[in-house]
Amino acid sequence: MLTAVGLGLLLTIVLGMTGIYNGIIVDATALPDSLRADLWIVQRDTRGPFAELSRLPADLEERARAVPGVASARSYVAHTIQRDVPGGPQIRFTALGLSWPDDHGADLPLVEGRPLSQAHFEFIVDRSLGLALGTRIPLGRDIYTVVGITEGITASGGDPVAFFTRSDAQKIQFDKSNEAIRLDREARTARFRRSQLSRNPDLARMSTAPANQIPALGPAPVSAVMLNLAPGYQAEEVRGRLSQWKDVTVYTQADQHQLILGGIVEKTKRQIGLFRALLVVISTILMSLIIYTMTLDKIHSIALLKLLGARRTVILGMILQEALLLGGIAYTLAIVLGNTIFELFPRRVAVENSDRLLLLLVVFVISIVASIFGMKKALAADPNEVLAG
Amino acid sequence: MSDTAPAVEARLLSRHYGEGNTYVKALDKASFEIQAGEVVALLGPSGSGKSTLLTILGLINQPNEGSLRIGGEDVIRDGQLVGNTNLVRRRQLGFVFQRSNLIPFLNAQDNIRLVLDLDDVPGRVARRRARDILEELGVADRATHFPVQLSGGQQQRVAIARALVHEPALLLADEPTASLDKERGRQVMELFRTAARERNAAVLVVTHDHRSLDLVDRTFEIEDGVLSH
């Protein structure tokens, strides 16, 4: 029984690795899927915004809206935040900016609460972050309140996603301390004084103004612009038009999936795949050794059975049954244990029924392979051993 | 004893090992018959060829020459095993050893049933026959006990029950009383005698124990592979 428990734990790891792999795929694609964009405009020749960094001017959203076939355009702004909540644990999430006022987050899969109802200081967050509705947390210079809860929306790294208005998301992203603002302003003034422009008194006054009041400094860039098509338009048609712009690259939702899975997830997939294969090989070797040892323990009884005239198939069947029983117990244990403990893992472990079925098949094959060594030993058992005492 | 064909007929059985300087003749042209219902003791010193003869009769080893019929069926012809050896072992042969050799993880009744199960006897019939023979050998109250829970004498009775339950033509017993005291040894030999008579089985008992020879019908002696009777 202890042997079956040990093997069951090993199979639990195999199942867990499968679930972790599935979880990585689900996590990686959950965010783009939840945003439901038909096309993604990103910085020219980059594979952004998920597989690679992409920066676009904020006004590109307006340009895109003017293209025939585009029903709506939303900027995509996202960055990761890790902060200590006063009196609570450290939290880490991806802050994503919604194009307020067009996008309130009404399309998000909310399980509690409501979409954003004001331009500032509210956010919607995934349940996996552990913040309850109404929780207020300080981010930058402001305090934000949780007004909605989603489920299953994570960034490619597995961090829960929090939805703010775009301006709030950028304010949090570019928040600087007073000292940093002062030093930045002094550096800018010093650069200005060294230039010929310092003779112009208007410009001299403006150089000491806040950054957002200086016309030469544009608004913060965005990572991508998401488009939704008007009814009757094909993605390829609109993409063709946008592709004539020399400063952007356009991807469909399917392209984004491919970029994410082929880029971010590919190496992880191979790594976990190899690790899984290694575990299956280890399980096979271990089970073979167990069956072989169990056969050795019973070799006298097997010799006796041969002496009593047991058919070969009876003896081989016994060894196979033993291996299958061992595999069956270990498999059941792995399923039960997996169902119990995988929920407690910090990242998503997504075990599908097809994975369970595949594992059952693997266990069946392992059991048969493992029993071969025992069968070989059993067939070599000499009935004379019984007479020899 | 029966007037019909002998239960065992051996003709010129020979077995040798090695060549040249290592050549050993373990059994030299042994010919004999044992009738159904007859108990025969096989006597001889260590290394005389007793085990060789026993393993040939048990179809575990093959002779170089000779032939053997068990229960009227050719099982060895011109030194070659013929027919389905496993089937002959399952139906025509029974074995009792010095140690009981019961399967430790089966209880007494299941140890006996095992022989019938191997021959695909239906479960209900097998259960009844196992119970009957345990009753007959006086260990019915130990049917559900595992070997480790039985005394040496009880274990040997269960082993004899296992050897007889399928009503074999020949029962081979290898030193069955060696580990028992005189009284229990005699009880075992009496069991063989009763079984031979009531079940019409031929019994060949390999023994060093001369104390119970009065309970056998005949004795064979073997020395340097030569059998005399």
Side-chain angles (χ1 to χ4, degrees), chain A residues 298 300-301 304-311 314 382-384 386-387 389, chain B residues 55 60-61 86 89-90 95 97 99 101 103-104 114 118 120 162 174:
Chain A
K298 295 192 192 73
H300 190 78
S301 297
L304 178 70
L305 285 177
K306 282 183 153 185
L307 186 67
L308 296 178
R311 283 180 287 263
V314 170
D382 184 0
N384 270 316
V386 185
L387 292 177
Chain B
T55 57
I60 299 163
N61 287 332
N86 278 339
R89 282 209 201 117
R90 283 202 301 273
F95 296 91
F97 314 96
R99 292 192 312 157
N101 275 318
I103 292 182
L114 177 70
L118 289 176
D120 298 328
R162 182 178 65 187
D174 185 20

PDB file of all heavy atoms in Angstrom, chain A residues 298 300-301 304-311 314 382-384 386-387 389, chain B residues 55 60-61 86 89-90 95 97 99 101 103-104 114 118 120 162 174:
ATOM      1  N   LYS A 298       7.575 -13.341  -4.287  1.00  0.00           N
ATOM      2  CA  LYS A 298       6.597 -14.423  -4.445  1.00  0.00           C
ATOM      3  C   LYS A 298       7.139 -15.556  -5.306  1.00  0.00           C
ATOM      4  O   LYS A 298       6.373 -16.414  -5.740  1.00  0.00           O
ATOM      5  CB  LYS A 298       5.338 -13.871  -5.114  1.00  0.00           C
ATOM      6  CG  LYS A 298       4.607 -12.863  -4.290  1.00  0.00           C
ATOM      7  CD  LYS A 298       3.237 -12.597  -4.898  1.00  0.00           C
ATOM      8  CE  LYS A 298       2.622 -11.393  -4.263  1.00  0.00           C
ATOM      9  NZ  LYS A 298       3.244 -10.141  -4.693  1.00  0.00           N
ATOM     10  N   HIS A 300       8.771 -18.191  -4.775  1.00  0.00           N
ATOM     11  CA  HIS A 300       8.548 -19.555  -4.278  1.00  0.00           C
ATOM     12  C   HIS A 300       7.106 -19.980  -4.560  1.00  0.00           C
ATOM     13  O   HIS A 300       6.865 -21.104  -5.014  1.00  0.00           O
ATOM     14  CB  HIS A 300       8.846 -19.605  -2.777  1.00  0.00           C
ATOM     15  CG  HIS A 300       8.881 -21.000  -2.238  1.00  0.00           C
ATOM     16  ND1 HIS A 300       9.961 -21.839  -2.403  1.00  0.00           N
ATOM     17  CD2 HIS A 300       7.948 -21.712  -1.560  1.00  0.00           C
ATOM     18  CE1 HIS A 300       9.694 -23.003  -1.840  1.00  0.00           C
ATOM     19  NE2 HIS A 300       8.466 -22.961  -1.320  1.00  0.00           N
ATOM     20  N   SER A 301       6.174 -19.050  -4.328  1.00  0.00           N
ATOM     21  CA  SER A 301       4.763 -19.354  -4.594  1.00  0.00           C
ATOM     22  C   SER A 301       4.539 -19.558  -6.092  1.00  0.00           C
ATOM     23  O   SER A 301       3.735 -20.407  -6.495  1.00  0.00           O
ATOM     24  CB  SER A 301       3.866 -18.226  -4.096  1.00  0.00           C
ATOM     25  OG  SER A 301       3.992 -18.101  -2.707  1.00  0.00           O
ATOM     26  N   LEU A 304       5.709 -22.874  -7.020  1.00  0.00           N
ATOM     27  CA  LEU A 304       4.723 -23.860  -6.557  1.00  0.00           C
ATOM     28  C   LEU A 304       3.549 -23.940  -7.536  1.00  0.00           C
ATOM     29  O   LEU A 304       3.087 -25.028  -7.886  1.00  0.00           O
ATOM     30  CB  LEU A 304       4.225 -23.471  -5.164  1.00  0.00           C
ATOM     31  CG  LEU A 304       3.160 -24.393  -4.587  1.00  0.00           C
ATOM     32  CD1 LEU A 304       3.749 -25.747  -4.243  1.00  0.00           C
ATOM     33  CD2 LEU A 304       2.521 -23.785  -3.360  1.00  0.00           C
ATOM     34  N   LEU A 305       3.093 -22.762  -7.966  1.00  0.00           N
ATOM     35  CA  LEU A 305       1.981 -22.742  -8.937  1.00  0.00           C
ATOM     36  C   LEU A 305       2.367 -23.493 -10.203  1.00  0.00           C
ATOM     37  O   LEU A 305       1.564 -24.232 -10.770  1.00  0.00           O
ATOM     38  CB  LEU A 305       1.616 -21.298  -9.287  1.00  0.00           C
ATOM     39  CG  LEU A 305       0.843 -20.518  -8.241  1.00  0.00           C
ATOM     40  CD1 LEU A 305       0.619 -19.086  -8.702  1.00  0.00           C
ATOM     41  CD2 LEU A 305      -0.510 -21.179  -7.959  1.00  0.00           C
ATOM     42  N   LYS A 306       3.614 -23.294 -10.636  1.00  0.00           N
ATOM     43  CA  LYS A 306       4.073 -24.003 -11.837  1.00  0.00           C
ATOM     44  C   LYS A 306       4.066 -25.512 -11.592  1.00  0.00           C
ATOM     45  O   LYS A 306       3.653 -26.287 -12.448  1.00  0.00           O
ATOM     46  CB  LYS A 306       5.492 -23.559 -12.200  1.00  0.00           C
ATOM     47  CG  LYS A 306       5.557 -22.224 -12.901  1.00  0.00           C
ATOM     48  CD  LYS A 306       6.970 -21.920 -13.272  1.00  0.00           C
ATOM     49  CE  LYS A 306       7.037 -21.020 -14.478  1.00  0.00           C
ATOM     50  NZ  LYS A 306       8.402 -20.813 -14.932  1.00  0.00           N
ATOM     51  N   LEU A 307       4.513 -25.888 -10.401  1.00  0.00           N
ATOM     52  CA  LEU A 307       4.545 -27.313 -10.058  1.00  0.00           C
ATOM     53  C   LEU A 307       3.139 -27.894 -10.028  1.00  0.00           C
ATOM     54  O   LEU A 307       2.911 -29.033 -10.428  1.00  0.00           O
ATOM     55  CB  LEU A 307       5.221 -27.487  -8.692  1.00  0.00           C
ATOM     56  CG  LEU A 307       5.464 -28.930  -8.251  1.00  0.00           C
ATOM     57  CD1 LEU A 307       6.491 -29.589  -9.153  1.00  0.00           C
ATOM     58  CD2 LEU A 307       5.942 -28.979  -6.813  1.00  0.00           C
ATOM     59  N   LEU A 308       2.192 -27.076  -9.575  1.00  0.00           N
ATOM     60  CA  LEU A 308       0.800 -27.554  -9.507  1.00  0.00           C
ATOM     61  C   LEU A 308       0.128 -27.536 -10.883  1.00  0.00           C
ATOM     62  O   LEU A 308      -1.029 -27.908 -11.004  1.00  0.00           O
ATOM     63  CB  LEU A 308      -0.008 -26.695  -8.536  1.00  0.00           C
ATOM     64  CG  LEU A 308       0.430 -26.741  -7.062  1.00  0.00           C
ATOM     65  CD1 LEU A 308      -0.423 -25.797  -6.227  1.00  0.00           C
ATOM     66  CD2 LEU A 308       0.354 -28.147  -6.508  1.00  0.00           C
ATOM     67  N   GLY A 309       0.865 -27.075 -11.881  1.00  0.00           N
ATOM     68  CA  GLY A 309       0.338 -27.140 -13.252  1.00  0.00           C
ATOM     69  C   GLY A 309      -0.362 -25.885 -13.723  1.00  0.00           C
ATOM     70  O   GLY A 309      -1.152 -25.938 -14.669  1.00  0.00           O
ATOM     71  N   ALA A 310      -0.073 -24.763 -13.068  1.00  0.00           N
ATOM     72  CA  ALA A 310      -0.720 -23.504 -13.504  1.00  0.00           C
ATOM     73  C   ALA A 310      -0.272 -23.165 -14.920  1.00  0.00           C
ATOM     74  O   ALA A 310       0.908 -23.309 -15.256  1.00  0.00           O
ATOM     75  CB  ALA A 310      -0.340 -22.375 -12.555  1.00  0.00           C
ATOM     76  N   ARG A 311      -1.249 -22.738 -15.710  1.00  0.00           N
ATOM     77  CA  ARG A 311      -0.908 -22.318 -17.072  1.00  0.00           C
ATOM     78  C   ARG A 311      -0.040 -21.062 -17.012  1.00  0.00           C
ATOM     79  O   ARG A 311      -0.158 -20.271 -16.081  1.00  0.00           O
ATOM     80  CB  ARG A 311      -2.190 -22.021 -17.856  1.00  0.00           C
ATOM     81  CG  ARG A 311      -2.923 -23.250 -18.316  1.00  0.00           C
ATOM     82  CD  ARG A 311      -4.175 -22.853 -19.070  1.00  0.00           C
ATOM     83  NE  ARG A 311      -5.187 -22.359 -18.142  1.00  0.00           N
ATOM     84  CZ  ARG A 311      -6.186 -23.108 -17.665  1.00  0.00           C
ATOM     85  NH1 ARG A 311      -6.308 -24.355 -18.055  1.00  0.00           N
ATOM     86  NH2 ARG A 311      -7.056 -22.609 -16.819  1.00  0.00           N
ATOM     87  N   VAL A 314      -1.978 -17.931 -16.631  1.00  0.00           N
ATOM     88  CA  VAL A 314      -2.474 -17.655 -15.272  1.00  0.00           C
ATOM     89  C   VAL A 314      -1.410 -16.899 -14.485  1.00  0.00           C
ATOM     90  O   VAL A 314      -1.693 -15.882 -13.837  1.00  0.00           O
ATOM     91  CB  VAL A 314      -2.842 -18.977 -14.557  1.00  0.00           C
ATOM     92  CG1 VAL A 314      -3.121 -18.742 -13.080  1.00  0.00           C
ATOM     93  CG2 VAL A 314      -4.044 -19.623 -15.220  1.00  0.00           C
ATOM     94  N   ASP A 382      11.781 -21.786 -11.293  1.00  0.00           N
ATOM     95  CA  ASP A 382      11.969 -23.223 -11.497  1.00  0.00           C
ATOM     96  C   ASP A 382      11.168 -24.011 -10.455  1.00  0.00           C
ATOM     97  O   ASP A 382      11.386 -23.838  -9.249  1.00  0.00           O
ATOM     98  CB  ASP A 382      13.473 -23.523 -11.351  1.00  0.00           C
ATOM     99  CG  ASP A 382      13.780 -24.977 -11.645  1.00  0.00           C
ATOM    100  OD1 ASP A 382      12.840 -25.735 -11.963  1.00  0.00           O
ATOM    101  OD2 ASP A 382      14.967 -25.340 -11.551  1.00  0.00           O
ATOM    102  N   PRO A 383      10.262 -24.879 -10.878  1.00  0.00           N
ATOM    103  CA  PRO A 383       9.484 -25.664  -9.913  1.00  0.00           C
ATOM    104  C   PRO A 383      10.368 -26.493  -8.987  1.00  0.00           C
ATOM    105  O   PRO A 383       9.969 -26.852  -7.882  1.00  0.00           O
ATOM    106  CB  PRO A 383       8.639 -26.585 -10.798  1.00  0.00           C
ATOM    107  CG  PRO A 383       8.635 -25.967 -12.143  1.00  0.00           C
ATOM    108  CD  PRO A 383       9.891 -25.183 -12.265  1.00  0.00           C
ATOM    109  N   ASN A 384      11.608 -26.785  -9.432  1.00  0.00           N
ATOM    110  CA  ASN A 384      12.537 -27.541  -8.582  1.00  0.00           C
ATOM    111  C   ASN A 384      12.810 -26.833  -7.263  1.00  0.00           C
ATOM    112  O   ASN A 384      13.155 -27.478  -6.277  1.00  0.00           O
ATOM    113  CB  ASN A 384      13.881 -27.709  -9.314  1.00  0.00           C
ATOM    114  CG  ASN A 384      13.882 -28.987 -10.145  1.00  0.00           C
ATOM    115  OD1 ASN A 384      13.435 -30.031  -9.675  1.00  0.00           O
ATOM    116  ND2 ASN A 384      14.359 -28.888 -11.366  1.00  0.00           N
ATOM    117  N   VAL A 386      10.791 -25.589  -5.285  1.00  0.00           N
ATOM    118  CA  VAL A 386       9.843 -26.039  -4.262  1.00  0.00           C
ATOM    119  C   VAL A 386      10.349 -27.337  -3.637  1.00  0.00           C
ATOM    120  O   VAL A 386      10.318 -27.522  -2.421  1.00  0.00           O
ATOM    121  CB  VAL A 386       8.445 -26.255  -4.870  1.00  0.00           C
ATOM    122  CG1 VAL A 386       7.449 -26.612  -3.787  1.00  0.00           C
ATOM    123  CG2 VAL A 386       7.997 -25.020  -5.617  1.00  0.00           C
ATOM    124  N   LEU A 387      10.854 -28.219  -4.493  1.00  0.00           N
ATOM    125  CA  LEU A 387      11.359 -29.497  -3.972  1.00  0.00           C
ATOM    126  C   LEU A 387      12.626 -29.292  -3.161  1.00  0.00           C
ATOM    127  O   LEU A 387      12.870 -29.971  -2.177  1.00  0.00           O
ATOM    128  CB  LEU A 387      11.646 -30.447  -5.139  1.00  0.00           C
ATOM    129  CG  LEU A 387      10.407 -30.937  -5.897  1.00  0.00           C
ATOM    130  CD1 LEU A 387      10.813 -31.808  -7.065  1.00  0.00           C
ATOM    131  CD2 LEU A 387       9.477 -31.697  -4.972  1.00  0.00           C
ATOM    132  N   GLY A 389      13.114 -27.039  -1.269  1.00  0.00           N
ATOM    133  CA  GLY A 389      12.697 -26.512   0.036  1.00  0.00           C
ATOM    134  C   GLY A 389      12.907 -25.036   0.104  1.00  0.00           C
ATOM    135  O   GLY A 389      12.832 -24.467   1.157  1.00  0.00           O
TER     136      GLY A 389
ATOM    137  N   THR B  55      11.564 -35.919  -9.416  1.00  0.00           N
ATOM    138  CA  THR B  55      11.335 -34.804 -10.349  1.00  0.00           C
ATOM    139  C   THR B  55      10.933 -35.317 -11.740  1.00  0.00           C
ATOM    140  O   THR B  55      10.189 -34.642 -12.452  1.00  0.00           O
ATOM    141  CB  THR B  55      12.580 -33.900 -10.472  1.00  0.00           C
ATOM    142  OG1 THR B  55      13.689 -34.694 -10.893  1.00  0.00           O
ATOM    143  CG2 THR B  55      12.891 -33.205  -9.176  1.00  0.00           C
ATOM    144  N   ILE B  60       8.925 -32.519 -13.727  1.00  0.00           N
ATOM    145  CA  ILE B  60       9.687 -31.271 -13.580  1.00  0.00           C
ATOM    146  C   ILE B  60      10.965 -31.393 -14.404  1.00  0.00           C
ATOM    147  O   ILE B  60      11.383 -30.459 -15.068  1.00  0.00           O
ATOM    148  CB  ILE B  60      10.029 -31.019 -12.100  1.00  0.00           C
ATOM    149  CG1 ILE B  60       8.743 -30.889 -11.283  1.00  0.00           C
ATOM    150  CG2 ILE B  60      10.886 -29.762 -11.943  1.00  0.00           C
ATOM    151  CD1 ILE B  60       8.957 -31.052  -9.804  1.00  0.00           C
ATOM    152  N   ASN B  61      11.587 -32.527 -14.329  1.00  0.00           N
ATOM    153  CA  ASN B  61      12.769 -32.787 -15.154  1.00  0.00           C
ATOM    154  C   ASN B  61      12.463 -33.913 -16.137  1.00  0.00           C
ATOM    155  O   ASN B  61      11.553 -34.723 -15.924  1.00  0.00           O
ATOM    156  CB  ASN B  61      13.966 -33.172 -14.284  1.00  0.00           C
ATOM    157  CG  ASN B  61      14.508 -31.973 -13.535  1.00  0.00           C
ATOM    158  OD1 ASN B  61      14.369 -30.846 -14.007  1.00  0.00           O
ATOM    159  ND2 ASN B  61      15.077 -32.196 -12.370  1.00  0.00           N
ATOM    160  N   ASN B  86       1.403 -29.481 -18.229  1.00  0.00           N
ATOM    161  CA  ASN B  86       0.700 -28.727 -17.182  1.00  0.00           C
ATOM    162  C   ASN B  86      -0.638 -29.383 -16.836  1.00  0.00           C
ATOM    163  O   ASN B  86      -1.018 -29.454 -15.673  1.00  0.00           O
ATOM    164  CB  ASN B  86       0.451 -27.290 -17.637  1.00  0.00           C
ATOM    165  CG  ASN B  86       1.675 -26.421 -17.439  1.00  0.00           C
ATOM    166  OD1 ASN B  86       2.545 -26.753 -16.634  1.00  0.00           O
ATOM    167  ND2 ASN B  86       1.759 -25.340 -18.187  1.00  0.00           N
ATOM    168  N   ARG B  89      -0.051 -32.385 -14.746  1.00  0.00           N
ATOM    169  CA  ARG B  89       0.261 -31.976 -13.359  1.00  0.00           C
ATOM    170  C   ARG B  89      -1.007 -31.554 -12.622  1.00  0.00           C
ATOM    171  O   ARG B  89      -1.193 -31.868 -11.456  1.00  0.00           O
ATOM    172  CB  ARG B  89       1.236 -30.797 -13.362  1.00  0.00           C
ATOM    173  CG  ARG B  89       2.654 -31.183 -13.636  1.00  0.00           C
ATOM    174  CD  ARG B  89       3.587 -30.186 -12.942  1.00  0.00           C
ATOM    175  NE  ARG B  89       4.879 -30.225 -13.569  1.00  0.00           N
ATOM    176  CZ  ARG B  89       5.439 -29.203 -14.210  1.00  0.00           C
ATOM    177  NH1 ARG B  89       4.812 -28.064 -14.288  1.00  0.00           N
ATOM    178  NH2 ARG B  89       6.615 -29.322 -14.750  1.00  0.00           N
ATOM    179  N   ARG B  90      -1.869 -30.804 -13.326  1.00  0.00           N
ATOM    180  CA  ARG B  90      -3.082 -30.304 -12.671  1.00  0.00           C
ATOM    181  C   ARG B  90      -4.051 -31.427 -12.317  1.00  0.00           C
ATOM    182  O   ARG B  90      -4.737 -31.355 -11.317  1.00  0.00           O
ATOM    183  CB  ARG B  90      -3.819 -29.312 -13.589  1.00  0.00           C
ATOM    184  CG  ARG B  90      -3.216 -27.948 -13.662  1.00  0.00           C
ATOM    185  CD  ARG B  90      -4.248 -26.917 -14.114  1.00  0.00           C
ATOM    186  NE  ARG B  90      -4.819 -27.195 -15.411  1.00  0.00           N
ATOM    187  CZ  ARG B  90      -4.293 -26.808 -16.562  1.00  0.00           C
ATOM    188  NH1 ARG B  90      -3.145 -26.147 -16.574  1.00  0.00           N
ATOM    189  NH2 ARG B  90      -4.885 -27.088 -17.700  1.00  0.00           N
ATOM    190  N   PHE B  95       1.271 -33.228  -4.980  1.00  0.00           N
ATOM    191  CA  PHE B  95       2.594 -33.110  -4.346  1.00  0.00           C
ATOM    192  C   PHE B  95       2.457 -32.754  -2.868  1.00  0.00           C
ATOM    193  O   PHE B  95       1.668 -31.892  -2.505  1.00  0.00           O
ATOM    194  CB  PHE B  95       3.403 -31.988  -5.013  1.00  0.00           C
ATOM    195  CG  PHE B  95       3.735 -32.238  -6.460  1.00  0.00           C
ATOM    196  CD1 PHE B  95       2.885 -31.801  -7.464  1.00  0.00           C
ATOM    197  CD2 PHE B  95       4.896 -32.903  -6.818  1.00  0.00           C
ATOM    198  CE1 PHE B  95       3.181 -32.022  -8.797  1.00  0.00           C
ATOM    199  CE2 PHE B  95       5.203 -33.126  -8.151  1.00  0.00           C
ATOM    200  CZ  PHE B  95       4.341 -32.684  -9.148  1.00  0.00           C
ATOM    201  N   PHE B  97       5.273 -31.949   0.350  1.00  0.00           N
ATOM    202  CA  PHE B  97       6.701 -31.718   0.563  1.00  0.00           C
ATOM    203  C   PHE B  97       7.043 -31.800   2.046  1.00  0.00           C
ATOM    204  O   PHE B  97       6.162 -31.896   2.893  1.00  0.00           O
ATOM    205  CB  PHE B  97       7.084 -30.329   0.044  1.00  0.00           C
ATOM    206  CG  PHE B  97       6.518 -30.047  -1.329  1.00  0.00           C
ATOM    207  CD1 PHE B  97       5.323 -29.351  -1.474  1.00  0.00           C
ATOM    208  CD2 PHE B  97       7.162 -30.510  -2.465  1.00  0.00           C
ATOM    209  CE1 PHE B  97       4.790 -29.107  -2.720  1.00  0.00           C
ATOM    210  CE2 PHE B  97       6.628 -30.265  -3.719  1.00  0.00           C
ATOM    211  CZ  PHE B  97       5.434 -29.567  -3.856  1.00  0.00           C
ATOM    212  N   ARG B  99       8.286 -29.362   3.808  1.00  0.00           N
ATOM    213  CA  ARG B  99       7.586 -28.197   4.363  1.00  0.00           C
ATOM    214  C   ARG B  99       6.223 -28.148   3.690  1.00  0.00           C
ATOM    215  O   ARG B  99       6.082 -28.629   2.557  1.00  0.00           O
ATOM    216  CB  ARG B  99       8.358 -26.919   4.062  1.00  0.00           C
ATOM    217  CG  ARG B  99       9.684 -26.842   4.804  1.00  0.00           C
ATOM    218  CD  ARG B  99      10.279 -25.461   4.718  1.00  0.00           C
ATOM    219  NE  ARG B  99      10.255 -24.971   3.341  1.00  0.00           N
ATOM    220  CZ  ARG B  99      10.293 -23.687   3.021  1.00  0.00           C
ATOM    221  NH1 ARG B  99      10.319 -22.782   3.974  1.00  0.00           N
ATOM    222  NH2 ARG B  99      10.287 -23.300   1.757  1.00  0.00           N
ATOM    223  N   ASN B 101       4.660 -25.768   2.296  1.00  0.00           N
ATOM    224  CA  ASN B 101       4.631 -24.961   1.069  1.00  0.00           C
ATOM    225  C   ASN B 101       3.246 -24.410   0.753  1.00  0.00           C
ATOM    226  O   ASN B 101       2.853 -24.315  -0.411  1.00  0.00           O
ATOM    227  CB  ASN B 101       5.135 -25.777  -0.127  1.00  0.00           C
ATOM    228  CG  ASN B 101       6.641 -25.724  -0.231  1.00  0.00           C
ATOM    229  OD1 ASN B 101       7.244 -24.680  -0.053  1.00  0.00           O
ATOM    230  ND2 ASN B 101       7.254 -26.868  -0.469  1.00  0.00           N
ATOM    231  N   ILE B 103       0.621 -21.375   0.368  1.00  0.00           N
ATOM    232  CA  ILE B 103       0.811 -19.977  -0.033  1.00  0.00           C
ATOM    233  C   ILE B 103       0.409 -19.092   1.145  1.00  0.00           C
ATOM    234  O   ILE B 103      -0.725 -19.170   1.636  1.00  0.00           O
ATOM    235  CB  ILE B 103       0.015 -19.667  -1.314  1.00  0.00           C
ATOM    236  CG1 ILE B 103       0.668 -20.467  -2.447  1.00  0.00           C
ATOM    237  CG2 ILE B 103      -0.001 -18.175  -1.614  1.00  0.00           C
ATOM    238  CD1 ILE B 103       0.088 -20.290  -3.806  1.00  0.00           C
ATOM    239  N   PRO B 104       1.358 -18.287   1.628  1.00  0.00           N
ATOM    240  CA  PRO B 104       1.158 -17.611   2.921  1.00  0.00           C
ATOM    241  C   PRO B 104       0.002 -16.623   2.959  1.00  0.00           C
ATOM    242  O   PRO B 104      -0.570 -16.382   4.016  1.00  0.00           O
ATOM    243  CB  PRO B 104       2.499 -16.897   3.162  1.00  0.00           C
ATOM    244  CG  PRO B 104       3.174 -16.839   1.843  1.00  0.00           C
ATOM    245  CD  PRO B 104       2.674 -17.995   1.043  1.00  0.00           C
ATOM    246  N   LEU B 114      -7.192 -23.460  -4.664  1.00  0.00           N
ATOM    247  CA  LEU B 114      -6.278 -22.986  -5.712  1.00  0.00           C
ATOM    248  C   LEU B 114      -6.066 -24.050  -6.795  1.00  0.00           C
ATOM    249  O   LEU B 114      -6.113 -23.753  -7.992  1.00  0.00           O
ATOM    250  CB  LEU B 114      -4.941 -22.608  -5.059  1.00  0.00           C
ATOM    251  CG  LEU B 114      -3.834 -22.161  -6.000  1.00  0.00           C
ATOM    252  CD1 LEU B 114      -4.171 -20.797  -6.587  1.00  0.00           C
ATOM    253  CD2 LEU B 114      -2.501 -22.070  -5.248  1.00  0.00           C
ATOM    254  N   LEU B 118      -7.147 -23.554 -10.636  1.00  0.00           N
ATOM    255  CA  LEU B 118      -6.192 -23.630 -11.746  1.00  0.00           C
ATOM    256  C   LEU B 118      -6.744 -24.508 -12.870  1.00  0.00           C
ATOM    257  O   LEU B 118      -6.363 -24.367 -14.025  1.00  0.00           O
ATOM    258  CB  LEU B 118      -4.851 -24.200 -11.268  1.00  0.00           C
ATOM    259  CG  LEU B 118      -4.013 -23.292 -10.365  1.00  0.00           C
ATOM    260  CD1 LEU B 118      -2.751 -24.008  -9.894  1.00  0.00           C
ATOM    261  CD2 LEU B 118      -3.632 -22.003 -11.079  1.00  0.00           C
ATOM    262  N   ASP B 120      -9.952 -24.649 -13.565  1.00  0.00           N
ATOM    263  CA  ASP B 120     -11.231 -24.043 -13.947  1.00  0.00           C
ATOM    264  C   ASP B 120     -12.450 -24.795 -13.413  1.00  0.00           C
ATOM    265  O   ASP B 120     -13.502 -24.848 -14.067  1.00  0.00           O
ATOM    266  CB  ASP B 120     -11.335 -23.916 -15.480  1.00  0.00           C
ATOM    267  CG  ASP B 120     -10.257 -23.020 -16.040  1.00  0.00           C
ATOM    268  OD1 ASP B 120      -9.863 -22.069 -15.337  1.00  0.00           O
ATOM    269  OD2 ASP B 120      -9.787 -23.277 -17.164  1.00  0.00           O
ATOM    270  N   ARG B 162      -4.593 -30.387  -0.103  1.00  0.00           N
ATOM    271  CA  ARG B 162      -4.376 -29.723  -1.392  1.00  0.00           C
ATOM    272  C   ARG B 162      -3.895 -30.726  -2.448  1.00  0.00           C
ATOM    273  O   ARG B 162      -4.261 -30.635  -3.615  1.00  0.00           O
ATOM    274  CB  ARG B 162      -3.326 -28.611  -1.233  1.00  0.00           C
ATOM    275  CG  ARG B 162      -3.062 -27.843  -2.502  1.00  0.00           C
ATOM    276  CD  ARG B 162      -2.061 -26.725  -2.290  1.00  0.00           C
ATOM    277  NE  ARG B 162      -0.741 -27.244  -1.947  1.00  0.00           N
ATOM    278  CZ  ARG B 162       0.279 -26.478  -1.581  1.00  0.00           C
ATOM    279  NH1 ARG B 162       0.123 -25.179  -1.478  1.00  0.00           N
ATOM    280  NH2 ARG B 162       1.451 -27.018  -1.285  1.00  0.00           N
ATOM    281  N   ASP B 174       7.569 -35.904  -0.743  1.00  0.00           N
ATOM    282  CA  ASP B 174       9.010 -35.813  -0.532  1.00  0.00           C
ATOM    283  C   ASP B 174       9.295 -35.544   0.945  1.00  0.00           C
ATOM    284  O   ASP B 174       9.098 -34.420   1.407  1.00  0.00           O
ATOM    285  CB  ASP B 174       9.573 -34.686  -1.415  1.00  0.00           C
ATOM    286  CG  ASP B 174      11.087 -34.605  -1.354  1.00  0.00           C
ATOM    287  OD1 ASP B 174      11.717 -35.612  -0.960  1.00  0.00           O
ATOM    288  OD2 ASP B 174      11.633 -33.548  -1.713  1.00  0.00           O
TER     289      ASP B 174
END
